[in-house]
Amino acid sequence: MDPSQPIPEAISHRQLAHLLRSAAAEPAAIAEPGAELAGGEPNRELEALLNAYGQLSVQLLRAFEGAGDELGRGRTPRQLMAMGALRAHAHMALQALAASQA
């Protein structure tokens, strides 16, 4: 993908598969967790924030599961769709966090 082109609003599965096939191999990890950033500061603060974000996301997803039918009471269909999107994004964020720490 050309960096000068704007990011598309959507991408087809075929286009995504093509990008995956044409992507360069992933380089080896440059820094281990807790390593120093380019500015020389320890990466501990970022790691702590990422861990806190992961824990909070897990708590949020458990609350969604425990809410059951109460989640929909007093909410419009648009609000319910937004809550569903939030739940989906929390799941994806946890997957991304796990992949970034692997």
Side-chain angles (χ1 to χ4, degrees):
M1 231 176 163
D2 184 4
S4 65
Q5 293 179 348
I7 298 173
E9 295 263 339
I11 187 167
S12 71
H13 183 269
R14 179 177 287 163
Q15 291 169 317
L16 186 60
H18 172 71
L19 289 172
L20 183 61
R21 283 191 306 272
S22 64
E26 189 171 323
I30 296 172
E32 294 296 319
E36 292 190 0
L37 297 171
E41 295 180 16
N43 203 4
R44 288 182 219 120
E45 183 179 355
L46 176 61
E47 291 297 322
L49 287 170
L50 288 171
N51 287 332
Y53 178 78
Q55 292 171 358
L56 187 60
S57 295
V58 168
Q59 289 176 353
L60 177 65
L61 290 172
R62 285 185 183 147
F64 271 121
E65 291 173 6
D69 292 338
E70 289 184 28
L71 185 65
R73 289 195 187 125
R75 289 192 166 82
T76 66
R78 184 175 178 164
Q79 290 172 326
L80 285 176
M81 288 191 317
M83 296 292 273
L86 176 62
R87 184 174 179 217
H89 281 87
H91 275 289
M92 289 187 293
L94 285 173
Q95 290 173 355
L97 180 60
S100 73
Q101 295 175 342

